[in-house]
Amino acid sequence: MTPRQADRLATGMFWAGASIVIIILTGLLGFIFYHGIQAIDIKFLTTPPESINAGGGIAPQIFNSFYLLFLTMFITLPIALLAGIYLAEYAGRSNKIAEGIRLSIETLSSLPSIVVGLFGLLIFVNMTGWGYTLMSGALALTVINLPLMVRVSEEAIHGVSPEIREGSLALGATRWQTMWRVILPAAFPVIVTGLIITAGRIFGEAAALLYTAGMSSPALNFTNFDITSPSSPLNPFRPAETLAVHIWKVNSEGLIPDVRRVADGSAAVLVMIVLGFNVLARWISRAIERRLTAA
């Protein structure tokens, strides 16, 4: 085989692999949308389940999913960034503490989500006395997503060209000023990519939330902004059923007469939310990158 033939063969294999991925993804999305789009209307998206006959709407579940995303990333992102900066800039490869942190990250990343859910049930639900709450679910998801975000942050910082770092230091900037004003803006696109992947896992996670956030939501008053009130949607210490948990619940229990309609519609909405979030996050990241780097 000549080098040109080998190159064409390898290129064809790459295209075949990419095409298979696209076909599988298109098939899955087409199946979900074909069955789910028929169940989606304004009432289904904006009304609580108890306000509609049979299975009802998913408005509280949509809100709970986004609120849980906010709480989880509010906890995860600062910790992951600080840990990534430490591992990339301040800890040497032979540092015992850094080795311990990396070992812990690798161990956490291999834990099944159901195990993290049981851990959250013991620590965040029972030992704290909070019960099934959004905060318990957010902390459990932080345990799941923290290893990924730490790794992404560390690799993003490592990926910045050494010349950029050395140039900033040569101009008289301190190490922290270089990190904050030069390295992090340059690493921002990679960090946002990790953030998007993490957010997608938050939207789709159900196993850990079954044991921490619960499988029911109280009647919410969206005009009540007192975060200490049990009926306030902003109260982080209330039970909350997310959209992924709702899909699992209606399918497993099968108590409502239109279970297929509710499950299909909820799945389609969940996929659209994840896709829309990914597109929006990438657009925002590019806009911020242009602003930070003056590109």
Side-chain angles (χ1 to χ4, degrees):
M1 182 181 295
T2 65
R4 176 171 293 185
Q5 290 174 331
D7 178 70
R8 290 179 176 176
L9 178 61
T11 303
M13 293 176 63
F14 295 149
W15 275 105
S19 300
I20 292 173
V21 172
I22 294 174
I23 291 172
I24 294 174
L25 178 60
T26 304
L28 289 173
L29 294 179
F31 179 83
I32 293 173
F33 287 141
Y34 175 77
H35 290 280
I37 204 71
Q38 306 171 27
I40 300 175
D41 54 28
I42 297 299
K43 185 175 289 188
F44 183 73
L45 296 175
T46 60
T47 313
E50 61 271 12
S51 300
I52 309 179
N53 295 330
I58 55 173
Q61 287 76 19
I62 294 175
F63 177 82
N64 290 338
S65 298
F66 277 101
Y67 194 27
L68 184 67
L69 169 67
F70 169 77
L71 290 175
T72 304
M73 299 315 301
F74 183 78
I75 301 170
T76 303
L77 191 56
I79 299 175
L81 276 178
L82 292 175
I85 291 172
Y86 171 76
L87 291 174
E89 289 292 316
Y90 295 92
R93 289 292 178 179
S94 60
N95 189 309
K96 296 293 184 181
I97 298 178
E99 290 179 1
I101 294 174
R102 291 190 176 94
L103 178 62
S104 300
I105 291 172
E106 293 169 0
T107 304
L108 283 177
S109 63
S110 63
L111 288 178
S113 59
I114 191 70
V115 175
V116 177
L118 292 173
F119 170 79
L121 176 65
L122 176 64
I123 303 298
F124 306 134
V125 175
N126 294 333
M127 291 188 65
T128 61
W130 294 341
Y132 295 109
T133 61
L134 273 166
M135 185 58 69
S136 300
L139 290 172
L141 291 182
T142 297
V143 175
I144 293 175
N145 292 318
L146 195 58
L148 174 62
M149 279 305 302
V150 172
R151 279 297 188 189
V152 168
S153 300
E154 181 184 4
E155 293 303 323
I157 294 170
H158 271 309
V160 177
S161 174
E163 288 79 6
I164 297 177
R165 180 186 290 103
E166 294 167 359
S168 176
L169 295 173
L171 290 173
T174 63
R175 197 171 183 180
W176 176 247
Q177 287 174 330
T178 299
M179 173 59 62
W180 182 251
R181 297 181 179 273
V182 178
I183 297 177
L184 284 182
F188 186 78
V190 179
I191 294 175
V192 170
T193 300
L195 186 67
I196 293 171
I197 297 173
T198 304
R201 295 178 66 184
I202 293 172
F203 279 120
E205 182 58 52
L209 297 178
L210 293 174
Y211 298 100
T212 52
M215 293 184 291
S216 63
S217 296
L220 300 179
N221 180 6
F222 284 89
T223 62
N224 182 6
F225 299 105
D226 180 10
I227 63 173
T228 62
S229 173
S231 63
S232 173
L234 300 180
N235 184 358
F237 295 97
R238 62 172 176 84
E241 180 186 51
T242 62
L243 198 53
V245 173
H246 183 65
I247 296 171
W248 177 88
K249 179 182 176 182
V250 297
N251 276 290
S252 61
E253 293 181 348
L255 299 179
I256 57 177
D258 57 344
V259 57
R260 183 61 186 270
R261 180 188 70 87
V262 175
D264 289 344
S266 300
V269 171
L270 180 60
V271 172
M272 286 189 287
I273 288 175
V274 173
L275 291 176
F277 181 84
N278 288 354
V279 173
L280 180 62
R282 289 186 182 280
W283 179 80
I284 293 175
S285 68
R286 289 172 183 171
I288 296 177
E289 179 187 7
R290 287 194 296 267
R291 184 177 180 85
L292 292 175
T293 59

